[in-house]
Amino acid sequence: MLVPDPKTVRRLLTRYATLRIAQAERHSPVAARELEDITYTLCVMTGTAGIREAVTRADALLAQGQTAPAGRTTDPDGENGRCLTV
């Protein structure tokens, strides 16, 4: 199985969360369409059929790459291991 680029996954998760918040505050047809596109892309990249499973799998993928020696969790960009949830 192909493994998606962690930076791309992180960027998609961030955009997904931002759009969900924006839609909850005020509905926008443009943002709704972009949210559909991001949802579809996350599902395809993670090989899942639903967004909840896609987010869970994406979080697991990012967590795998962040375990460093001595139990320290960080990635090469210096970001911590925070997970996004639905």
Side-chain angles (χ1 to χ4, degrees):
M1 180 170 116
L2 295 174
V3 178
D5 175 49
K7 287 183 182 182
T8 302
V9 172
R10 185 179 299 113
R11 186 173 60 247
L12 286 170
L13 284 173
T14 301
R15 188 66 186 143
Y16 173 79
T18 301
L19 288 167
R20 285 281 307 253
I21 292 167
Q23 286 296 88
E25 291 175 351
R26 183 174 182 199
H27 179 75
S28 160
V30 173
R33 179 64 192 157
E34 187 177 354
L35 184 59
E36 286 178 23
D37 291 344
I38 296 287
T39 298
Y40 174 80
T41 303
L42 278 169
C43 288
V44 169
M45 287 183 80
T46 58
T48 60
I51 190 60
R52 289 188 184 274
E53 187 181 0
V55 170
T56 300
R57 196 168 286 176
D59 282 343
L61 170 77
L62 294 175
Q64 277 180 347
Q66 294 183 9
T67 303
R72 186 170 175 219
T73 56
T74 186
D75 70 7
D77 296 330
E79 296 181 15
N80 65 12
R82 295 186 185 140
C83 296
L84 295 175
T85 59
V86 179

